[in-house]
């Protein structure tokens, strides 16, 4: 099955939508229109890119765009060995929220085939830390349609319970990464899986000591620091994990009618203190990671204000 992505202008977008009577309602965030033409799914994105996916992709793209689209040929160049993950069918895993006082810990594993690696790059999948929340949401909506994945959200009450039981954050992340990877393996053809790569947050030996059970396919598992820049599968997993974290934070802000800042800075402490004043400490503990030093700073801020 071929995949083709092209950049087009607004005038061409409007022309194609009208000419092919494309669907424009009830679409995922970031998608302008879509239509199945012959055996090919055609999607137009708000980023002004059009994707053709199917066995007749070249023929349909040539017809729709009015230009000859040739089948893509793989590059003959040999990249640096550390960056060859995208040349293999790969499961990547990453997490979000581990350094944030507010909100859950979210972990995702995503399977990216060699064919889909190119598609994800062309629609702008990259290191989630360099993307805005709006872009994260837009890209995540695309990725979840293309890539088999597993998303696990450890909410604050369960996070705090595990922490009181003696689980370090490293153990929590290791257990969740391992489970997410296991989940994805059940959703793909294992015979086609060539590599598993984890965004490294701890040494491999420590990771293995902290998981429950065994590592699936340890023989093809790698750990990479700054993995999002080395593997599109990690980048895809990172975006989905970040997407879940952002959505959870937005929901908290709406429910409490307050601003919920990200990170663990002084700004976070000030807002947390306002939440305690508006509600109480129990409400704050229910939406934060209690063992963070921010909690002590918040209590100190409140004491000082009461003295004044």
């Amino acid at each position: 099955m071929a995949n083709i992505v092209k950049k087009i202008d607004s005038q061409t977008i409007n022309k194609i939508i009208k000419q092919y009577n494309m669907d424009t309602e009830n679409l995922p965030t970031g998608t302008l229109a879509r239509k199945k033409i012959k055996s090919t799914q055609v999607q137009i994105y708000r980023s002004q890119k059009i994707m053709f996916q199917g066995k007749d992709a070249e023929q349909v793209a040539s017809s729709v765009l009015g230009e000859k689209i040739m089948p893509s040929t793989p590059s003959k160049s040999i990249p640096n060995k550390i960056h060859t993950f995208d040349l293999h069918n790969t499961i990547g895993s990453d997490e979000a929220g581990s350094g944030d006082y507010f909100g859950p810990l979210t972990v995702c594993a995503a399977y990216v085939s060699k064919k889909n690696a190119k598609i994800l790059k062309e629609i702008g999948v990259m290191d989630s830390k360099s993307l805005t929340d709006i872009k994260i949401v837009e890209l995540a909506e695309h990725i979840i349609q293309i890539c088999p994945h597993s998303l696990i959200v450890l909410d604050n009450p369960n996070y705090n319970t595990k922490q009181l039981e003696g689980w370090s954050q490293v153990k929590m992340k290791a257990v969740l990464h391992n489970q997410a990877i296991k989940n994805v393996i059940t959703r793909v053809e294992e015979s086609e899986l060539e590599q598993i790569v984890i965004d490294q947050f701890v040494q491999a030996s420590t990771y293995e000591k902290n998981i429950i059970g065994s590592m699936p396919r340890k023989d093809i598992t790698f750990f990479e620091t700054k993995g999002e820049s080395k593997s599109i599968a990690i980048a895809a997993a990172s975006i989905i994990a970040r997407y879940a974290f952002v959505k959870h934070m937005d929901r908290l802000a709406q429910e409490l009618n307050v601003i919920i800042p990200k990170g663990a800075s002084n700004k976070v402490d000030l807002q947390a203190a306002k939440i305690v004043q508006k509600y109480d400490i129990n409400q704050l503990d229910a939406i934060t990671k209690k063992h963070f030093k921010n909690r002590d700073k918040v209590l100190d801020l409140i004491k000082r204000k009461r003295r004044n």
Side-chain angles (χ1 to χ4, degrees), residues 3-20:
N3 295 296
I4 295 168
V5 176
K6 293 286 185 180
K7 182 83 172 178
I8 53 179
D9 57 38
S10 298
Q11 186 176 355
T12 303
I13 288 172
N14 293 332
K15 179 182 176 182
I16 292 172
I17 290 174
K18 185 175 180 180
Q19 182 179 349
Y20 290 91

Side-chain angles (χ1 to χ4, degrees), residues 15-157:
K15 179 182 176 182
I16 292 172
I17 290 174
K18 185 175 180 180
Q19 182 179 349
Y20 290 91
N21 192 27
M22 298 183 75
D23 299 324
T24 57
E25 296 182 358
N26 301 318
L27 302 176
T29 304
T31 303
L32 277 176
R34 66 183 174 192
K35 180 85 171 184
K36 191 162 188 178
I37 303 175
K38 294 186 177 180
S39 61
T40 297
Q41 183 69 37
V42 182
Q43 293 199 113
I44 299 177
Y45 301 118
R46 295 188 185 278
S47 56
Q48 294 190 311
K49 291 182 179 179
I50 184 169
M51 180 175 73
F52 302 87
Q53 190 173 41
K55 67 178 184 179
D56 298 320
E58 290 93 355
Q59 179 185 345
V60 172
S62 296
S63 176
V64 171
L65 299 176
E67 59 180 277
K68 183 64 176 176
I69 305 294
M70 300 300 293
S72 58
T73 55
S75 170
K76 294 182 180 179
S77 62
I78 301 175
N80 189 309
K81 186 176 180 180
I82 201 170
H83 298 290
T84 61
F85 295 110
D86 300 347
L87 302 180
H88 302 275
N89 298 325
T90 303
I91 291 176
S93 69
D94 202 359
E95 79 283 333
S98 62
D100 295 83
Y101 178 49
F102 285 99
L105 174 63
T106 60
V107 175
C108 181
Y111 173 76
V112 179
S113 66
K114 288 175 280 189
K115 291 181 180 179
N116 283 336
K118 181 179 179 182
I119 292 295
L120 295 185
K121 288 179 181 178
E122 290 182 339
I123 65 174
V125 172
M126 60 182 73
D127 185 344
S128 68
K129 296 180 183 66
S130 65
L131 300 172
T132 65
D133 286 352
I134 292 174
K135 191 65 176 178
I136 288 285
V137 171
E138 178 185 327
L139 288 173
E141 295 285 356
H142 301 331
I143 297 168
I144 61 179
Q145 294 181 66
I146 297 172
C147 301
H149 63 280
S150 173
L151 171 67
I152 303 176
V153 178
L154 184 64
D155 63 18
N156 294 110

Side-chain angles (χ1 to χ4, degrees), residues 217-228:
R217 299 307 308 271
K218 181 180 177 181
D219 57 317
I220 57 170
T221 298
F222 302 85
F223 293 80
E224 289 289 338
T225 56
K226 299 181 179 178
E228 290 168 288

Side-chain angles (χ1 to χ4, degrees), residues 165-218:
E165 290 175 356
W167 285 40
S168 66
Q169 194 181 83
V170 166
K171 182 174 182 64
M172 293 183 211
K173 291 198 286 188
V175 169
L176 296 181
H177 273 261
N178 203 54
Q179 186 58 55
I181 290 167
K182 285 181 177 179
N183 292 346
V184 175
I185 288 176
T186 66
R187 297 168 190 172
V188 301
E189 289 292 336
E190 190 172 351
S191 60
E192 296 180 1
L193 176 62
E194 297 175 298
Q195 292 186 337
I196 298 170
V197 58
I198 299 167
D199 192 53
Q200 186 169 354
F201 54 89
V202 72
Q203 292 296 318
S205 57
T206 303
Y207 175 95
E208 194 167 2
K209 287 177 184 176
N210 277 282
I211 62 175
I212 297 174
S214 59
M215 287 175 61
R217 299 307 308 271
K218 181 180 177 181

Side-chain angles (χ1 to χ4, degrees), residues 227-247:
E228 290 168 288
S229 63
K230 300 173 184 177
S231 165
I232 197 71
I234 288 182
S238 174
I239 287 172
I240 297 174
R242 192 71 189 172
Y243 166 79
F245 179 78
V246 167
K247 286 291 188 182

